[in-house]
Amino acid sequence: MTLSPDLLLTVAADRLRTTRPELVAHMDLSTPDALRDAKAAIAGSEGAGTADSAVVVAVIRSLSLPRWVHETCRFVLSVPAGPARSWRRSFTRTLYLAGQPDNLRERFTFDHIAADGSAAWAGPAADETTSALRRLLKTFSGVRELSAWAPVTVVVPAPAARRAPRRPGRRPVHRDLYIATAAVTVSDMLVQVNHLLAEAVLDGLIRPGDRLSLRSVPRLSGSAARFAALRVDTDTHCRHELRAYVGLTDEV
């Protein structure tokens, strides 16, 4: 698959059209700059607090990418259908805070806590639901740029007990998850990978029992893989261009 600028623009624009067709029906999505302006306008409307807007708050004590991918998938698989729809319409908006989940569980309600206490998730819910938690903790800071790693495979777990599976089962599949590392910080990676994982789970591309092989590449543009899902966003180092940050392949 050739990740041309036109393809990246199509992927990014289609995400807006599919998720909030009523908001973008009359917006110009024909260029990266127009797309960026449209996203800013949508973010502004979400920030004002609409009736069905939803946000997830993730509290991170320590970060191991394979463990975080495993627990992120388990959390998203456990989200009930109603909140999942609101979160999807809010573009799976997620805020990342630095903290110790084990020290917070008596004061705050979390919807999922990693077994080792490395991270916890609250939501999806309206902004005011997590306002006290967000006032208490600082934003998670991951300013270090990513370095390459040896491929590692994660088995997607079953959802937590708070909900039943959303779709009928199918046989588990194996997919590669390519993550761009060149000039990408840890914080940027969290945002981009989280969006792709959350939307792939909600769309049924990732299900319990699937195997995800996490692979680092400087840029996805040189990959020959066939992608079932791409996370495309404005290039943080060139605001007039789009970049593919994460790619989930077809079955391998």
Side-chain angles (χ1 to χ4, degrees):
M1 177 183 291
T2 301
L3 301 184
S4 66
D6 285 346
L7 176 62
L8 298 185
L9 180 60
T10 296
V11 170
D14 283 351
R15 178 175 182 255
L16 298 190
R17 294 189 183 100
T18 300
T19 305
R20 297 301 294 269
E22 77 286 2
L23 291 181
V24 303
H26 304 292
M27 288 183 175
D28 178 13
L29 305 178
S30 62
T31 68
D33 286 344
L35 185 73
R36 187 185 65 248
D37 292 344
K39 288 177 61 179
I42 292 170
S45 66
E46 289 292 320
T50 58
D52 64 345
S53 63
V55 64
V56 164
V57 172
V59 177
I60 300 173
R61 184 199 71 198
S62 59
L63 183 63
S64 162
L65 180 59
R67 182 174 60 226
W68 182 76
V69 167
H70 178 278
E71 294 296 336
T72 295
C73 289
R74 190 172 192 208
F75 161 69
V76 180
L77 283 163
S78 75
V79 175
R85 283 192 295 270
S86 296
W87 191 35
R88 190 70 168 85
R89 283 176 54 79
S90 297
F91 297 94
T92 57
R93 178 174 168 239
T94 305
L95 305 177
Y96 305 91
L97 306 177
Q100 299 273 356
D102 286 341
N103 296 340
L104 297 166
R105 64 171 74 208
E106 292 186 3
R107 296 177 58 189
F108 300 98
T109 299
F110 291 105
D111 295 288
H112 177 63
I113 300 177
D116 62 356
S118 59
W121 288 259
D127 279 27
E128 57 267 23
T129 304
T130 56
S131 58
L133 178 63
R134 287 152 46 199
R135 285 195 299 267
L136 176 67
L137 302 178
K138 294 182 179 179
T139 299
F140 177 81
S141 177
V143 297
R144 175 180 58 84
E145 288 193 2
L146 295 178
S147 54
W149 61 83
V152 58
T153 298
V154 173
V155 178
V156 178
R162 66 174 175 145
R163 66 167 298 273
R166 183 176 286 104
R167 291 178 173 83
R170 56 148 168 79
R171 66 175 182 85
V173 298
H174 180 199
R175 302 180 189 271
D176 286 334
L177 186 71
Y178 283 91
I179 301 172
T181 60
V184 177
T185 67
V186 172
S187 292
D188 290 338
M189 180 273 296
L190 281 177
V191 171
Q192 305 298 352
V193 175
N194 180 77
H195 280 304
L196 186 138
L197 289 176
E199 291 171 12
V201 168
L202 295 177
D203 293 344
L205 284 174
I206 295 176
R207 300 190 185 185
D210 289 352
R211 291 181 297 141
L212 304 177
S213 290
L214 315 182
R215 300 182 181 275
S216 62
V217 291
R219 294 182 177 274
L220 269 68
S221 56
S223 174
R226 294 184 59 84
F227 293 109
L230 281 169
R231 171 61 185 176
V232 176
D233 203 357
T234 301
D235 191 327
T236 56
H237 299 281
C238 186
R239 64 191 301 268
H240 302 292
E241 296 182 6
L242 297 173
R243 180 178 181 183
Y245 283 92
V246 192
L248 180 71
T249 69
D250 289 333
E251 183 178 353
V252 297

